[in-house]
Amino acid sequence: GQSLEQPSEVTAVEGAIVQINCTYQTSGFYGLSWYQQHDGGAPTFLSYNALDGLEETGRFSSFLSRSDSYGYLLLQELQMKDSASYFCAAPNRDDKIIFGKGTRLHILP
Amino acid sequence: DVKVTQSSRYLVKRTGEKVFLECVQDMDHENMFWYRQDPGLGLRLIYFSYDVKMKEKGDIPEGYSVSREKKERFSLILESASTNQTSMYLCAWGSGYEQYFGPGTRLTVT
């Protein structure tokens, strides 16, 4: 089977850096994706890591370690608009995605 | 600009009614997906389709069926709506590692 575990909530201060972790157990692993979802909105794709290491896209970075079955999303220079839920997700060989249950990010002014 | 549209943003139906949720994508993509999202449970895959007239069950297909008569359109059908199908329904297209979602339909079954 497959499962992805991430914290249910994280709180950080505006302007700071926050890391959202995701650990996974999968029968076959192809990579780790991240999605952002604002209240009332649809999930939007942020990044995908197929290989170990850090991928940077502006203020957001995503990291993967296959040996540790672990990844994280790093958000820098936090802004109030980053308040949202963040989901890690992993595809399987059938092109389906398994999603984590999401981490709600609260940002304090 | 990529577009995924869903037929309704909000829908209220009665128990036992047959409900159709429609999704249209304009990217000519083969893969389309239907999810439901509930608090604390995240996104769960109901059905997906790799091409016209093809369908595959996801993790929670019970009580649902789908139709894909045209490549751009993927419909989710609740044969006899029940209160436990009250949820947010999200359609998506894409691959296993990158998907694009429609705005969602919040369905309430009373």
Side-chain angles (χ1 to χ4, degrees):
Chain A
Q2 292 181 287
S3 67
L4 294 98
E5 298 293 328
Q6 50 183 131
S8 58
E9 292 184 271
V10 171
T11 300
V13 178
E14 189 177 15
I17 299 173
V18 71
Q19 179 175 310
I20 299 173
N21 299 322
C22 176
T23 57
Y24 60 86
Q25 286 187 312
T26 61
S27 53
F29 183 76
Y30 300 89
L32 196 67
S33 300
W34 288 92
Y35 292 78
Q36 178 192 59
Q37 185 178 28
H38 286 100
D39 284 347
T44 56
F45 173 77
L46 291 176
S47 66
Y48 174 69
N49 292 64
L51 304 174
D52 284 3
L54 191 69
E55 296 273 347
E56 298 183 61
T57 309
R59 294 188 297 113
F60 292 10
S61 304
S62 55
F63 172 83
L64 177 64
S65 169
R66 286 171 172 262
S67 59
D68 296 321
S69 297
Y70 162 74
Y72 64 74
L73 181 69
L74 190 74
L75 294 80
Q76 302 183 73
E77 301 173 19
L78 281 172
Q79 301 176 10
M80 298 304 293
K81 68 178 181 179
D82 298 329
S83 295
S85 293
Y86 293 85
F87 296 86
C88 58
N92 66 14
R93 63 172 183 266
D94 298 322
D95 241 4
K96 292 164 55 176
I97 294 184
I98 305 297
F99 284 86
K101 293 184 179 172
T103 298
R104 178 72 184 218
L105 174 61
H106 302 279
I107 300 177
L108 304 175
Chain B
D1 196 23
V2 174
K3 286 267 191 300
V4 184
T5 57
Q6 294 186 227
S7 48
S8 306
R9 286 286 276 149
Y10 299 93
L11 205 55
V12 180
K13 294 292 181 180
R14 293 194 179 277
T15 301
E17 280 193 82
K18 190 168 186 175
V19 182
F20 293 87
L21 303 181
E22 293 210 318
C23 174
V24 178
Q25 51 102 357
D26 66 357
M27 289 303 292
D28 197 35
H29 203 282
E30 289 78 16
N31 300 347
M32 295 186 76
F33 305 82
W34 273 107
Y35 296 88
R36 64 177 283 176
Q37 186 174 27
D38 302 286
L41 297 178
L43 286 128
R44 293 181 291 166
L45 181 64
I46 305 171
Y47 267 96
F48 61 107
S49 170
Y50 290 136
D51 208 340
V52 176
K53 299 203 185 288
M54 295 183 68
K55 60 184 178 184
E56 297 285 342
K57 291 180 180 179
D59 300 315
I60 51 164
E62 297 78 18
Y64 304 94
S65 62
V66 290
S67 171
R68 187 134 182 234
E69 296 296 320
K70 294 184 177 181
K71 195 174 188 181
E72 67 271 18
R73 189 180 299 269
F74 191 33
S75 301
L76 180 70
I77 303 155
L78 286 68
E79 297 291 342
S80 177
S82 63
T83 54
N84 63 13
Q85 292 178 310
T86 291
S87 186
M88 170 67 85
Y89 289 88
L90 290 155
C91 170
W93 68 271
S95 67
Y97 61 88
E98 185 174 348
Q99 293 191 357
Y100 294 89
F101 288 81
T105 296
R106 185 164 293 282
L107 173 67
T108 302
V109 182
T110 61

